[in-house]
Amino acid sequence: MLGCNNSDHSEDSVQLISEFALIPHVYQIEDSTGTINMGSMLEIVWNNNPNETLKNQIFNQWHEIQSNQRQGQSTKLEIIIDIDLDLPHQEAYRLEIHQEGIIIRALSQEGVYRAWQTLRQILYLSRDEKIGCGTILDFPKYDYRGAMLDVARHFFSVDEVKRYLDQLAWYKINYFHMHLSDDQGWRIHINSWPLLTQIGGTSQVDGGTAGYYTQNQYQDIVNYAAERFITVVPEIDMPGHTNAALASYAELNCDNTKRELYYGREVGFSTLCVEKEITYQFAEDVIREISEITPGPYFHIGGDETHATPEDDYILFINRVMPLVGEYGKTVIGWDEINLGELPPDAIVQYWASAQNAINGIKKGAKVLMSPSSYAYLDMKYDSLTPIGYNWAGYIDTQKAYSWTPETLVEGIKKENIIGIEAPLWGETITNSQELEFLAFPRLLGYAEIGWSEKEDRRTWEEYKLDLAIHGLLLEELGINFYRDPKVNWLTESD
Ligand code: ACM
């Protein structure tokens, strides 16, 4: 076993690894004596399974941070992937910082990637090249730690989406839910229904240049996410929130009349024609084509706010559509209203509005994805002065966003019922990356911690906000347009 020697023990200014402001907070961290110089070239050694993409990513990102330090002795990073390691989770890792080098031990490449995010934060946040030695053991509390982006109300380009994925990766978010269709726009090309994008892809809230992803572009996003060990969850919202489809194809309407494209912000006025067979052909074609280019396990059918669909029709519709998702090899996710249907045994109900809906889902055997709108909706304003966003679920400042616990929020939704948490960002009021980031950051860091960090003793706002203040430096460095919540004493470069 490598050891840190004591030669630098007298340097009391050395930053100990237990002092780093890691978000999400890690499970266990122990300092040991000695120091390591991180400010140099990186030499990566794999014990097995060298993954060139992952290796290049780590190598390049190390050198982005240590760009001034290319000369001198190398820092050695040994990566050991071994399924027999004594680690409790697929994403778990042990990060050992020794005098002679750094070792990451993990069961999978995913675990290595999560460890790299921890190390990357340490590199970014270190005051000096030299830091104290020590060991971190870490693994997630919840398997699903997601962010949703609504690209339907306003279209976001492939590059804008990639920018967000890069930001999510830092905080160990591992699912990216894309809300790909709504009343205002249809954003993914479907070969068997080409007018969906030719017509339905041209509109968005308030007009302006909208757009859609070709299937190649969607796959580019999926692959980019996968390189960051983030799984894309596509959503096609049905049977409501479908005006863009109804404006593209007359036959999806009960009266065989195309709807006008919609540029407003109302919800709950559109519905597919549930009694027509063509509606199910449409649903199946869309589910098939998207599932074929989606490697992840989930397909989200929406199912929310179907005020224009009588309840019996709604139940009929989802009872026909949910099994189609299974036929194309995916697990169905839907907003909490889908509890009304006959849920497939592996279904996931996304709790956003009604706890009772989620509990009903649990009674039918479903798991719950926690997105309670009054805590986890990134499109809610921070306070009355926030220039963008909504407040129908209340104001959510950074403290409120952080100060809840999925398994104690609702009586009847227990830890074993919960697959994880997701922070949705609806797009009515955001038109570009700057606005997206203003609503997502810094709240997203809190959601990342709620989803990842097990230790409840850490989960106090008073402690967390000190670490968050330090992450302001990182967010600034990354060029993220974050909201400087006045409850946090943000550090600046001169502090
Ligand atoms: C939703 O916010 N309509 C799921």
Side-chain angles (χ1 to χ4, degrees), residues 241 304-305 335 352 377 392 426:
H241 288 277
D304 58 320
E305 295 178 313
W335 299 106
W352 70 281
Y377 263 31
W392 59 260
W426 297 99

